[in-house]
Amino acid sequence: IAPIPRVIELDRHQPESTITFEKYQTRVVNATRITVGRAKLAEHKTLLTEIGMKFGVQPRFIVALWGIETNFGQFTGGFPVIHSLATLAYDGRRSKYFRSELLKALQIVEDGHIEPAAMKGSWAGAMGQSQFMPSSFLRFARDYDGDGAKDIWNTQDDVFASAANYLRGVGWRDDITWGRKVRLPAGFGSELVSLDVEKTLQEWQQLGVRRADGSNLPARNINASVLQPGGANGQAYIVYDNYRAILRWNRSHYFAIAVGRLSDRIAGL
């Protein structure tokens, strides 16, 4: 297999994240995506409810991830996965990692889940409507419709069940949400704004943290952290364990906040 020059170019010239948090949120959690997300939630309500109960994941989060990752399955990537991973294994900055992913991709084909020519994804090898790397596919993909193939490219049952199984596998809880916008009191210590600082909601309440509308925080015994992804003058959020689970899917705070906010808007919260 000859290396794909475009893959090498994209790997070597990944744009630094120059977009601000606010611009990212505006771009990703937009009116169109909210409207389409609500329609998709309604369209697939029976299937999503069933999968949500089976895996312990609220359907709105499955739909939000689907919407942000591939615009509800519209943009899943056109690069041949095996070819791309072989290129990155040969020429990439993380050859060892991509070599491992390449071997896992070959295993997926060997197991009969998809034909090599149909195995398309991003330039870095993220596949299907849920954009799983091959290692995530092998850990979490599910054949929910029972046809013998874990088809995260074209089979909605498998797409939703695989996403839900991933979240469950990284510690998702269906009895809590992801977090919420909050208002911080004057003089709130910047050292408290960190995922490394965990306190109960009651403790944050005592420190003066309130919901965005100024009302009290929920009266539940939940551990939480306070974040300001847009910087010290930006919007503050209080986040729970489910937020940490979203970070296991994608380690970007911009992404995780967007998933949470989109899920809320889709559900009309």
Side-chain angles (χ1 to χ4, degrees):
I1 298 176
I4 304 174
R6 179 63 176 151
V7 169
I8 296 171
E9 181 186 346
L10 287 166
D11 184 58
R12 289 183 179 168
H13 300 98
Q14 291 188 68
E16 292 299 314
S17 182
T18 52
I19 187 170
T20 65
F21 174 75
E22 286 75 16
K23 280 186 179 175
Y24 178 91
Q25 297 300 316
T26 301
R27 180 182 297 177
V28 174
V29 188
N30 58 56
T32 300
R33 191 165 279 151
I34 292 163
T35 300
V36 174
R38 287 174 178 169
K40 294 292 185 184
L41 185 66
E43 178 188 348
H44 299 287
K45 183 178 180 181
T46 302
L47 176 62
L48 284 164
T49 300
E50 180 184 307
I51 287 173
M53 291 181 68
K54 184 180 178 77
F55 292 93
V57 177
Q58 303 93 312
R60 63 189 176 98
F61 288 98
I62 300 171
V63 175
L65 281 163
W66 183 38
I68 291 175
E69 283 289 10
T70 59
N71 206 31
F72 310 103
Q74 288 191 73
F75 306 114
T76 57
F79 287 90
V81 167
I82 290 172
H83 204 153
S84 296
L85 291 173
T87 297
L88 292 164
Y90 165 74
D91 196 81
R93 296 170 295 111
R94 296 183 289 162
S95 294
K96 184 178 178 182
Y97 168 74
F98 285 112
R99 197 174 301 123
S100 172
E101 293 294 336
L102 171 60
L103 293 174
K104 290 176 170 66
L106 292 171
Q107 183 183 333
I108 291 164
V109 171
E110 182 74 18
D111 291 345
H113 297 297
I114 190 159
E115 292 296 319
M119 195 184 214
K120 298 290 179 67
S122 74
W123 65 267
M127 311 178 299
Q129 295 190 37
S130 48
Q131 291 289 281
F132 280 6
M133 291 299 290
S135 55
S136 294
F137 182 101
L138 290 178
R139 283 186 69 193
F140 299 116
R142 295 294 292 256
D143 170 22
Y144 197 75
D145 68 347
D147 68 351
K150 298 173 181 177
D151 182 11
I152 62 170
W153 290 267
N154 303 301
T155 303
Q156 221 57 67
D157 301 51
D158 294 2
V159 171
F160 294 157
S162 297
N165 191 44
Y166 188 112
L167 290 175
R168 179 175 70 174
V170 295
W172 192 267
R173 291 173 52 183
D174 65 356
D175 65 325
I176 60 173
T177 186
W178 66 277
R180 65 187 70 247
K181 286 183 178 181
V182 290
R183 183 186 299 177
L184 304 180
F188 189 78
S190 59
E191 74 281 357
L192 296 173
V193 182
S194 169
L195 211 54
D196 295 329
V197 178
E198 280 194 85
K199 298 180 184 295
T200 64
L201 288 179
Q202 184 180 4
E203 288 172 327
W204 288 119
Q205 172 81 17
Q206 289 168 352
L207 288 169
V209 179
R210 297 291 183 271
R211 296 185 197 228
D213 64 3
S215 62
N216 290 338
L217 294 177
R220 291 190 61 189
N221 186 24
I222 299 172
N223 284 342
S225 298
V226 172
L227 300 178
Q228 284 180 293
N233 296 318
Q235 175 64 52
Y237 298 86
I238 198 161
V239 298
Y240 313 144
D241 283 345
N242 283 348
Y243 181 86
R244 287 177 161 79
I246 299 170
L247 287 177
R248 295 281 296 278
W249 181 295
N250 182 321
R251 293 191 189 114
S252 161
H253 286 292
Y254 284 26
F255 175 89
I257 293 284
V259 169
R261 291 185 58 238
L262 181 60
S263 73
D264 286 349
R265 297 298 302 278
I266 287 171
L269 300 177

